[in-house]
Amino acid sequence: MSLKVLTVDGDVVQPLSLSFEDLAAFPAAEQVSDVSRFHPTRKGDGVTLEAVLNRARPRTTATYLTLHATADNFHASIPLAAVRSEGIVVYRLDGASLPAKSGGPIRFLIKDPAACHTDELDDCANVKFVDRIELTAGKGLDTRPETDDEHEKLHQP
Ligand SMILES: Nc1nc2c(c(=O)[nH]1)N[C@H]1C(S)=C(S)[C@@H](COP(=O)(O)O)O[C@H]1N2
Ligand SMILES: [Mo]
């Protein structure tokens, strides 16, 4: 059995547990090749968030989508309606699993994010090391920095 890298759960009809192979098997129309087209500094291939949600089927009561990175305890919760068509789940680089230095094994990307802490769909919501996508009625856990100061601290090595 192949290793599951992403769980999708919460307010959904069909909770999912996906491996690299599961994501690679999504049809071509649901794949997003070469995310450097959206972000020159970011690399890899993904699938659309929409394709993942079509399988999980959020209930009509789900209004927020929360991205959880257990690895460094970072979380972002964003309105489902706004992110639905904007999200990419990046999982592959050069045919192999996305490396940690690119935010792998799974990195979330918003196609056209706002500058950090200026909007709910901001650069900070491009969560690295995502292992769980949770759908909820109302906003979930969000640890994104809210001020320039907090932001600077987060980015210090
Ligand atoms: N897991 C995790 N994801 C994260 C962060 C983090 O600290 N941990 N920082 C966020 C912030 S504040 C920003 S601005 C972007 C930076 O992405 P980059 O390092 O690819 O430029 O990643 C976001 N994703
Ligand atoms: Mo950020």
Side-chain angles (χ1 to χ4, degrees):
M1 204 188 65
S2 45
L3 183 72
K4 302 300 181 184
V5 285
L6 180 66
T7 298
V8 184
D9 65 5
D11 206 2
V12 296
V13 174
Q14 178 61 66
L16 306 174
S17 186
L18 301 169
S19 65
F20 173 92
E21 290 78 9
D22 293 332
L23 291 162
F26 278 30
E30 296 177 331
Q31 301 282 339
V32 181
S33 64
D34 188 10
V35 296
S36 72
R37 292 184 292 133
F38 305 103
H39 291 259
T41 61
R42 291 175 187 142
K43 298 183 237 172
D45 310 312
V47 293
T48 63
L49 174 64
E50 192 70 63
V52 173
L53 294 179
N54 284 344
R55 287 164 177 74
R57 291 152 54 209
R59 297 187 199 276
T60 51
T61 44
T63 54
Y64 272 77
L65 180 150
T66 306
L67 302 152
H68 296 283
T70 305
D72 66 349
N73 197 25
F74 189 86
H75 314 264
S77 191
I78 45 191
L80 177 59
V83 76
R84 224 182 155 128
S85 60
E86 279 287 304
I88 304 171
V89 174
V90 186
Y91 69 94
R92 182 171 64 198
L93 181 65
D94 299 332
S97 185
L98 187 73
K101 71 170 170 19
S102 303
I106 300 288
R107 186 190 189 156
F108 190 78
L109 276 187
I110 294 164
K111 276 188 213 158
D112 187 19
C116 292
H117 59 84
T118 63
D119 189 86
E120 289 189 282
L121 257 69
D122 69 355
D123 209 20
C124 310
N126 285 323
V127 180
K128 306 171 203 179
F129 330 121
V130 178
D131 53 0
R132 179 177 174 219
I133 296 178
E134 181 193 15
L135 282 297
T136 49
K139 191 167 180 172
L141 184 58
D142 198 322
T143 62
R144 280 179 288 174
E146 281 171 8
T147 63
D148 285 341
D149 227 35
E150 280 174 33
H151 201 261
E152 204 163 307
K153 272 187 207 132
L154 182 71
H155 285 282
Q156 266 158 25

